[in-house]
Amino acid sequence: ARGDWRLGSQIGGASRALLLDGQTLYVGIGCHVLAMDVSDPAHIVVVGQSPLLPQIVEALQLDGQGRLLVCCGDAGLMLLDARDTASLPILGRLDTRGLCENVMLYGDYALLADGPQGLAVADIRDPAAPAVVAQACTLAYAYDVAVVGATAYLAAGGSGILAVDVADPLAPRELGLTVAEGFQYDVAAKGSRLYAASAWGGVHAFDTANPAQLQPTLAVPTPGWAFALAPWGDAWLVMDG
């Protein structure tokens, strides 16, 4: 019966996530994570591959303790052992209520941009038994999350940018909403500034002195739609659709 069907294997697929750690590049390709040696950029070598994951890889993050956090959309968050780059074994899984789009570390906790469930705070100290311990902004769709000090900022699509006080991760406190032109897909922090990839709105920068109402400091139009951005020295790389 069709109800008994399950994913048995998968080759290739969408490449939506990259994470560089020294000379190792982790790439989400379809329902796998590949580890690549990029010490010689002209001759990149695949050194390992994860087991089959339950959904397409949306985002990657390392926790500083040898664990790779993998966002898998409606399959939640997967924790892999990055100390074994050859096989990247699965340590644990957290099935969130929403669609796990992205993740940022805050102490012992993972702050998850959980799609239609807003922000989810997960205790990942025991990778075999991660658990959601708090939520915020559950009426907003969160595509990405960035942290400045004790404030988490959510890229909330057409709603704008949401600010949440996470000083106490077990009791996150919603602070406010900043509206920006475009559609907020991605946020990244550099120092006390927050930057946003705003689709047709280009790239925006904000001063975070008042998290409840960010002050715009820069707006840069881009030729296409800005979907993602990342710092690169004194500049920014923008994925421009």
Side-chain angles (χ1 to χ4, degrees):
R2 286 183 296 176
D4 297 329
W5 287 9
R6 62 184 180 86
L7 186 61
S9 64
Q10 180 265 330
I11 298 172
S15 299
R16 298 180 181 174
L18 297 169
L19 178 64
L20 182 63
D21 180 40
Q23 301 299 322
T24 302
L25 179 68
Y26 298 97
V27 184
I29 298 181
C31 297
H32 292 95
V33 176
L34 269 61
M36 302 180 179
D37 182 344
V38 294
S39 54
D40 181 357
H43 298 90
I44 294 174
V45 179
V46 175
V47 296
Q49 177 174 291
S50 75
L52 182 69
L53 302 177
Q55 279 289 356
I56 290 175
V57 175
E58 302 288 348
L60 300 166
Q61 186 65 260
L62 285 164
D63 72 349
Q65 300 181 46
R67 297 176 296 192
L68 183 66
L69 280 58
V70 184
C71 295
C72 289
D74 61 6
L77 179 73
M78 307 294 296
L79 290 89
L80 309 184
D81 189 347
R83 295 168 296 184
D84 180 358
T85 53
S87 56
L88 296 172
I90 297 171
L91 297 173
R93 175 185 176 185
L94 175 62
D95 190 6
T96 65
R97 294 181 180 178
L99 297 170
C100 190
E101 298 270 12
N102 224 311
V103 58
M104 181 65 65
L105 275 298
Y106 186 76
D108 293 325
Y109 298 89
L111 305 179
L112 307 176
D114 202 27
Q117 289 295 319
L119 176 70
V121 181
D123 185 338
I124 58 171
R125 285 175 289 186
D126 180 358
V132 173
V133 294
Q135 289 189 276
C137 304
T138 55
L139 296 180
Y141 195 105
Y143 287 93
D144 191 22
V145 56
V147 179
V148 179
T151 304
Y153 295 95
L154 304 178
S159 298
I161 299 172
L162 292 160
V164 182
D165 184 342
V166 291
D168 180 358
L170 300 181
R173 184 167 57 92
E174 298 176 16
L175 296 176
L177 167 69
T178 300
V179 177
E181 181 185 358
F183 194 93
Q184 313 312 310
Y185 275 114
D186 196 40
V187 283
K190 189 174 183 180
S192 62
R193 294 284 179 90
L194 184 75
Y195 296 80
S198 307
W200 59 88
V203 173
H204 292 90
F206 302 91
D207 187 309
T208 61
N210 178 11
Q213 187 58 58
L214 300 175
Q215 295 302 309
T217 60
L218 185 69
V220 180
T222 58
W225 282 23
F227 284 105
L229 75 173
W232 186 44
D234 292 331
W236 287 81
L237 297 177
V238 180
M239 305 300 108
D240 201 34

